[in-house]
Amino acid sequence: MRINHFPTTVAAAHAVADRIAERLKAKPNLVLGLATGVTMEPVYERLVARHRAGEISFAGASSFNLDEYVGLPPSDPRSYRATMDSQLFDLVDIDKTRTFVPDGLAADPDAFARRYEAMIREAGGIDLQLLGIGRNGHIGFNEPGADFAARTRVVDLDASTLEANSAFFGGATPPTQAMTMGIGTILDSREIIVLATGAVKRDAVRAALTGPVSPDCPATALRNHPNVGWWLDAESGADVAA
C-alpha cells in the first residue's frame, strides 16, 4: 500500500489524472474502473485537458463504472451515466459502446448484475480501478456491513449516504437503492487508486488506513490488495503518515 500526500485538493486530483494518463500511454487498451462524485470532477477535467492537448487518447480504452442509482434513467442528469457522459465520455475519443455503467432500470437486476460481472471478465478484468471513499467508509456503494467477497448487486443505501448525496437532488432524498460492484469485484482489479479530499473524509481515511480490518469500514478491505495507492490532500490525510 502506498500513501501519497499532496498540499491541495487540485494537486491530488491532478496527480491521479496523470497516473491514469501514464497507464493509458503504456497500455492503450486499458480497462478502467471509474467512479463518480465531486471528488472525481477535477480528475476528469484534467484528463479532458490532456486529451485536448493531444497528450493522451482513450480510443482503445474500455471502462466500467462502479455503480448507478436504481430507478434513474440514463437520461436523468443526476444518473451516473449522464454524469460520466458530460464530464468525460462526450469530451474525449473513447468509443462509448465500450463504456459500461450498471443499469438502474434493469427489469431483472440480479440477471443484469451477473452479466456485468461477465462483461468485466470478457474484457480481461479491470486494469486500474479509481475509487473514492464515503464518509462512512463505503467504497462504491458497499455500505458498512458489506461482505468483502460480495459481487455486483443491488444494495440499500445507508442513511448517512442518503444525507450526503441529497445535495445532488435539491435537498430531497435520493433513490434509496443502487446497483454497485461488490468489494470482491473491486479487489479483482490489478491496480487500485483511492482519491480522498477534504476534511469531511479525514475520519474515514483514518479508519480505513489505521483501524481494524472489518466490514464496519468497507474500505479496510483494500488493505488485502497488493497494489493500492491512496492519494490524499492535506485535509483528508492529516491523521495518517506517508
Side-chain angles (χ1 to χ4, degrees), residues 43-128:
V43 175
Y44 297 142
E45 289 173 2
R46 172 79 162 181
L47 288 171
V48 170
R50 293 201 60 178
H51 167 70
R52 288 178 171 171
E55 297 172 356
I56 55 172
S57 171
F58 291 82
S62 303
S63 69
F64 292 87
N65 263 76
L66 280 167
D67 41 34
E68 179 62 281
Y69 286 112
V70 169
L72 283 190
S75 58
D76 189 308
R78 300 165 298 185
S79 75
Y80 290 157
R81 163 54 78 178
T83 299
M84 290 304 307
D85 285 348
S86 65
Q87 293 183 5
L88 183 65
F89 299 151
D90 287 344
L91 306 177
V92 298
D93 59 344
I94 198 166
D95 180 350
K96 285 183 67 176
T97 66
R98 296 202 305 270
T99 64
F100 304 100
V101 180
D103 183 359
L105 297 180
D108 186 338
D110 290 341
F112 179 85
R114 291 192 296 272
R115 177 59 185 150
Y116 204 66
E117 291 279 335
M119 288 191 293
I120 293 172
R121 291 193 300 271
E122 290 162 6
I126 292 172
D127 293 307
L128 177 60

Side-chain angles (χ1 to χ4, degrees), residues 24 105 126 136 146 152:
L24 273 170
L105 297 180
I126 292 172
N136 63 4
T152 301

Side-chain angles (χ1 to χ4, degrees), residues 125-187:
I126 292 172
D127 293 307
L128 177 60
Q129 175 67 62
L130 178 61
L131 296 177
I133 183 171
R135 299 179 192 183
N136 63 4
H138 73 224
I139 50 176
F141 272 134
N142 295 281
E143 301 283 25
D147 185 342
F148 285 0
R151 314 302 297 191
T152 301
R153 70 210 184 283
V154 171
V155 298
D156 295 324
L157 300 181
D158 190 80
S160 63
T161 299
L162 296 175
E163 180 182 0
N165 290 357
S166 65
F168 303 108
F169 290 82
T173 301
T176 58
Q177 291 187 311
M179 185 177 290
T180 184
M181 285 187 198
I183 294 174
T185 314
I186 291 167
L187 293 178

